[in-house]
Amino acid sequence: MAEILFIPQTSSKSAIYEAILPQIEALVADETDLVANLANVAAVLKEAFGFFWVGFYLVKENQLVLGPFQGPLACTRIAFDKGVCGACYTRRETLLVPDVEAFPGHIACSSLSKSEIVVPGFKNDQVALVLDVDSDQLNDFDETDRVGLEALMRLVEKFL
Ligand code: SME
């Protein structure tokens, strides 16, 4: 396991994604426990980008249930037809929400959350979990995050 995380001191988000993805791949390579791996992935993302909230919701018992995360207390269960996470599950695609107030049905786990990106992860062609990242700034996520986090989820899918 990689014990030291190298994060380039740059304002280029794509350079940071490029640097952390292979490290995450190495970090999870020898560990088979799902919770342990998801916890470390959330920790790396928090450390690399300083995200306000970053974590996973896992499909369990016909809903999304809170998994490993970094950040403030969060809602524990989300119905498939609720919130940005539910919409991501239903549409099976990444949702980029520049202003959460403008997203019908958005669930405000924290009133400080202003923008959000949610990325699905698949197992046997079914959504098995979603990665949710929240910012306390409006319009804080872009195509670089979409590309970087979707690439990350392809790594996550390998250990699901
Ligand atoms: N805002 C999400 C709920 C999860 S929290 O942000 C951590 C949503 O609308 O699905």
Side-chain angles (χ1 to χ4, degrees):
M1 150 181 175
E3 286 161 354
I4 297 169
L5 182 64
F6 166 71
I7 302 165
Q9 297 307 300
T10 168
S11 55
S12 162
K13 284 195 290 188
S14 55
I16 299 176
Y17 281 114
E18 232 170 82
I20 64 167
L21 287 178
Q23 295 184 82
I24 289 175
E25 198 168 18
L27 188 64
V28 300
D30 298 325
E31 179 52 65
T32 54
D33 187 85
L34 177 64
V35 171
N37 281 337
L38 293 179
N40 265 341
V41 172
V44 171
L45 290 174
K46 174 77 173 177
E47 199 173 333
F49 295 103
F51 291 139
F52 174 72
W53 195 94
V54 50
F56 295 92
Y57 281 91
L58 287 81
V59 174
K60 287 181 188 176
E61 304 148 12
N62 267 329
Q63 53 192 332
L64 295 165
V65 181
L66 184 63
F69 71 97
Q70 296 264 321
L73 187 70
C75 334
T76 54
R77 290 171 188 265
I78 298 175
F80 290 150
D81 60 350
K82 296 277 186 284
V84 185
C85 291
C88 173
Y89 171 86
T90 307
R91 295 192 211 167
R92 298 166 53 90
E93 63 187 20
T94 299
L95 292 185
L96 242 162
V97 182
D99 177 0
V100 295
E101 296 294 330
F103 188 96
H106 164 258
I107 300 165
C109 291
S110 164
S111 59
L112 296 175
S113 178
K114 299 279 191 289
S115 59
E116 181 163 3
I117 183 169
V118 187
V119 185
F122 299 88
K123 184 175 183 178
N124 301 328
D125 200 39
Q126 305 288 314
V127 178
L129 79 179
V130 301
L131 169 65
D132 182 16
V133 188
D134 288 24
S135 171
D136 57 1
Q137 307 293 314
L138 281 169
N139 203 13
D140 209 17
F141 302 105
D142 56 22
E143 284 305 309
T144 301
D145 296 297
R146 179 202 297 272
V147 170
L149 295 174
E150 287 181 350
L152 169 75
M153 289 305 264
R154 302 295 82 82
L155 296 181
V156 166
E157 285 164 355
K158 292 186 189 172
F159 62 77
L160 289 181

